[in-house]
Amino acid sequence: MDCDGSNSFLQNYMILRPDETDVFDLVGVLFSSDLEKRKGVHCQEWRGESFQRRRIIFVSISVQKFLRSVAKPMACFGSVVEMWLNLLSCNRNFSMLLLNFLQGKVVMPDKNSATFLSFIGNLDKRVELDKNIKRGDSRYYGALSMMASKASYENKAYVETTVNDLWKMEFLGAFSFWNDYQEKATTQAFMLRDKNTSSDLIIVAFRGTEGFDVDARCTDFDISWYELPGKGKVHGGFMKAPGMKKNQVWPKEIEQDNHNQPPGAYYAIREKLRDLLQTNDQARFILTGHSLGGALAILFAAVLAMHEEVGLLGRLEGIYTFGQPRVGDEKFGEFMTTQLEKYVIPYNRFVYSNDMVPRLPYDDSTLMFKHFGTCLYFNSCYQGKSPQALAFVVELYDKKMAHEPKVFFLTLHIVTEEPNKNYFSPLAIIPKALNGIWELMRSFIIPHTMGPDYKEGFVLRLLRSIGLVIAGVPAHSTQDYVNATRLSSPNAYALVHHAKKHQ
């Protein structure tokens, strides 16, 4: 058993272990009332949950077992796709590739070079920051965070060159961190420092789920959960990735007994932040990530809060997540809301249009997952859902509440939710299809209306064609989140910008 409940952070849990489950036990999960006796399901107490919940457990284990069975073919297929896309890029296009082949001058891509792009990187090849969004602009943190989140999918050479040479900032390292449950280094993040601000700004960007990464996919589909005393239940798959320890869960300090084993993300990044912030009393840091990376960003802050890391929480300038899935139940959301208000930490959760991922896991009677914090929702025209209301609140703050920032901050943290919060709805099928058609048409229009920086390539357009059937897939791309941070009204960010500024 992974956990025995002896740790002070652990109260109740349900842990799924697909590697321990055979066909007989998998069927038993679906129909048995004594689930705790089935291999592969570790729980402190089974309370006769509904068939619907047992069905979801069955699906979670089945999908994870399937993904693990095709891990090598998926990885090989992903490598072939990425190599082919980079081969085309290195030789400019297919016609030039064919000509270079006939002349024996084919340029071969190097997977470790600063020009090699992941599959996700090939969807959106933009590298430069938006020159129209200056430091001090209310959109700056969000725009920089999204570009860092996008860059986190790339190799170390790419990120280092981008940060140092193009962004004129300081690259602090790219890391692979140990996952104690997957027993290998599967969690990636990188750090940079913007020394051009009035005080040093450190960005910690967590990598999200790559298209062909089975380990990350298994994390997404793992609906294990842990109940933390007084703090609520947390998604087990996401909670394991930042470095949760087997049997110990989240000890405040650890000793690295195996020096050949990389450290967990939380402990290693926390130590680096302590060292970096110690050198400059004015330095601050931001946590960010796209998709799974967004879940890791908010959970990193959650563990800091559980460990009462007052010094670090007081220097946390903000948390910016993009297409982030739900990470905990309502009680956990209340705990985090209290902590964010206590330390005056803006938490912006960006959601674009029909993106499926922020609407998972479900917020319904079967599952207990809830969002919290400030949802910045953007439609397919990159407009906020209620820009007039946002502008009104900002104006009210500027005129009447300049001397009452704490009261204003409480108003800011009213929990909001994106439309169609659980994604699957019969009533939304036709609107989603129409929106998918518009997004495909927009890919041809937008470079003419907004400029060449918004040009979309063949791969992204191919993905957008999938959106005609499954709208939530292309809507999760980094392209739309970068566009949202650049094209949206500054009023969408003014709330958190002012609240933090006036504390």
Side-chain angles (χ1 to χ4, degrees):
M1 186 174 291
D2 291 322
C3 309
D4 59 9
S6 61
N7 188 275
S8 61
F9 275 170
L10 188 62
Q11 188 176 66
N12 193 14
Y13 52 85
M14 183 192 71
I15 305 167
L16 305 183
R17 292 295 302 269
D19 56 311
E20 298 178 0
T21 309
D22 55 26
V23 175
F24 176 78
D25 284 297
L26 191 56
V27 175
V29 164
L30 197 57
F31 298 104
S32 176
S33 60
D34 57 347
L35 194 62
E36 71 276 8
K37 296 180 181 179
R38 296 295 175 185
K39 294 178 181 178
V41 181
H42 297 183
C43 51
Q44 196 172 52
E45 179 182 356
W46 182 249
R47 299 169 181 169
E49 299 287 0
S50 66
F51 175 79
Q52 179 69 2
R53 185 166 296 216
R54 296 201 305 272
R55 183 179 67 83
I56 291 175
I57 293 172
F58 171 85
V59 170
S60 176
I61 294 175
S62 299
V63 170
Q64 289 183 73
K65 288 183 73 68
F66 171 75
L67 287 173
R68 292 182 182 187
S69 70
V70 298
K72 289 185 178 179
M74 276 187 67
C76 290
F77 178 73
S79 294
V80 170
V81 170
E82 287 185 347
M83 188 62 69
W84 173 250
L85 292 174
N86 281 275
L87 185 63
L88 289 175
S89 181
C90 286
N91 294 275
R92 294 173 54 191
N93 53 51
F94 182 76
S95 299
M96 287 300 300
L97 173 61
L98 184 59
L99 180 61
N100 288 345
F101 175 76
L102 294 174
Q103 294 177 345
K105 298 179 180 179
V106 174
V107 180
M108 295 299 296
D110 178 2
K111 291 193 69 171
N112 297 313
S113 72
T115 58
F116 191 91
L117 287 172
S118 67
F119 176 78
I120 291 175
N122 274 283
L123 295 177
D124 180 4
K125 296 185 178 182
R126 287 174 290 187
V127 183
E128 295 276 9
L129 301 177
D130 189 334
K131 294 180 174 60
N132 295 317
I133 301 178
K134 309 293 185 181
R135 293 177 178 86
D137 188 317
S138 60
R139 295 173 295 171
Y140 181 71
Y141 286 169
L144 176 58
S145 294
M146 184 55 227
M147 288 299 289
S149 297
K150 188 172 83 74
S152 69
Y153 288 100
E154 309 307 327
N155 64 56
K156 181 179 179 180
Y158 176 98
V159 178
E160 184 172 9
T161 300
T162 298
V163 171
N164 289 339
D165 299 344
L166 298 178
W167 298 357
K168 305 302 180 183
M169 299 178 188
E170 182 183 0
F171 176 71
L172 298 174
F175 316 97
S176 292
F177 299 108
W178 187 258
N179 185 320
D180 221 17
Y181 291 80
Q182 294 178 342
E183 298 184 340
K184 51 186 169 181
T186 59
T187 302
Q188 283 83 34
F190 83 91
M191 300 174 66
L192 66 88
R193 176 161 47 194
D194 183 357
K195 303 194 73 170
N196 299 307
T197 56
S198 56
S199 59
D200 287 358
L201 179 67
I202 298 164
I203 308 290
V204 181
F206 293 91
R207 179 183 296 183
T209 304
E210 294 182 279
F212 306 99
D213 185 345
V214 167
D215 292 314
R217 293 291 174 192
C218 286
T219 295
D220 292 338
F221 282 99
D222 183 0
I223 63 165
S224 302
W225 54 262
Y226 300 87
E227 185 171 1
L228 310 174
K231 301 171 181 66
K233 296 177 180 178
V234 185
H235 187 287
F238 300 150
M239 199 61 161
K240 294 170 184 174
M244 188 169 74
K245 307 294 291 182
K246 284 184 178 179
N247 301 316
Q248 296 176 289
V249 188
W250 285 112
K252 187 167 184 177
E253 304 292 343
I254 60 169
E255 292 185 10
Q256 195 68 28
D257 50 3
N258 184 353
H259 297 289
N260 294 322
Q261 175 182 302
Y266 169 76
Y267 297 100
I269 293 174
R270 185 185 64 174
E271 192 62 32
K272 290 180 183 297
L273 285 172
R274 285 173 175 172
D275 293 341
L276 289 166
L277 296 175
Q278 200 171 35
T279 62
N280 183 350
D281 293 339
Q282 301 302 313
R284 298 289 186 270
F285 71 100
I286 282 176
L287 301 172
T288 190
H290 169 260
S291 190
L292 170 63
L296 300 185
I298 188 60
L299 288 177
F300 182 93
V303 183
L304 287 179
M306 289 191 292
H307 286 159
E308 298 181 344
E309 292 283 350
V310 177
L312 289 177
L313 290 169
R315 309 280 285 277
L316 179 50
E317 187 74 3
I319 305 166
Y320 295 81
T321 71
F322 306 87
Q324 173 214 309
R326 297 182 177 102
V327 297
D329 67 359
E330 186 173 6
K331 189 172 183 179
F332 179 74
E334 292 170 354
F335 164 73
M336 284 304 298
T337 298
T338 299
Q339 297 300 310
L340 294 169
E341 290 175 356
K342 178 180 178 181
Y343 294 100
V344 198
I345 302 170
Y347 167 38
N348 285 314
R349 185 173 56 81
F350 289 69
V351 177
Y352 167 75
S353 190
N354 290 316
D355 187 351
M356 183 190 300
V357 176
R359 296 166 168 93
L360 298 172
Y362 285 164
D363 174 3
D364 60 10
S365 58
T366 302
L367 295 176
M368 68 286 185
F369 297 98
K370 302 279 186 181
H371 273 310
F372 58 93
T374 303
C375 173
L376 294 179
Y377 172 78
F378 300 91
N379 63 21
S380 57
C381 293
Y382 306 115
Q383 296 174 339
K385 184 180 179 184
S386 302
Q388 295 86 1
L390 286 171
F392 170 77
V393 175
V394 173
E395 183 179 0
L396 180 63
Y397 169 80
D398 286 339
K399 290 182 177 179
K400 298 182 179 180
M401 302 178 69
H403 302 293
E404 299 178 357
K406 290 184 179 179
V407 176
F408 171 75
F409 195 75
L410 290 173
T411 302
L412 171 66
H413 273 86
I414 294 174
V415 175
T416 56
E417 185 64 88
E418 57 273 4
N420 188 21
K421 67 177 182 179
N422 286 328
Y423 185 75
F424 292 104
S425 169
L427 298 176
I429 292 176
I430 295 177
K432 285 178 184 176
L434 293 174
N435 192 74
I437 294 172
W438 154 243
E439 287 178 330
L440 185 57
M441 293 171 54
R442 187 193 61 195
S443 71
F444 294 92
I445 299 170
I446 195 169
H448 301 288
T449 58
M450 296 299 172
D453 280 350
Y454 296 90
K455 182 180 179 180
E456 298 185 6
F458 169 77
V459 181
L460 181 54
R461 286 173 181 166
L462 184 63
L463 186 65
R464 291 207 186 281
S465 66
I466 297 174
L468 302 178
V469 181
I470 310 175
V473 174
H476 191 57
S477 74
T478 57
Q479 174 88 18
D480 289 316
Y481 281 99
V482 172
N483 290 355
T485 60
R486 295 183 176 192
L487 298 177
S488 59
S489 167
N491 287 335
Y493 309 88
L495 296 176
V496 293
H497 180 74
H498 283 302
K500 188 70 177 178
K501 179 179 179 180
H502 287 279
Q503 284 297 313

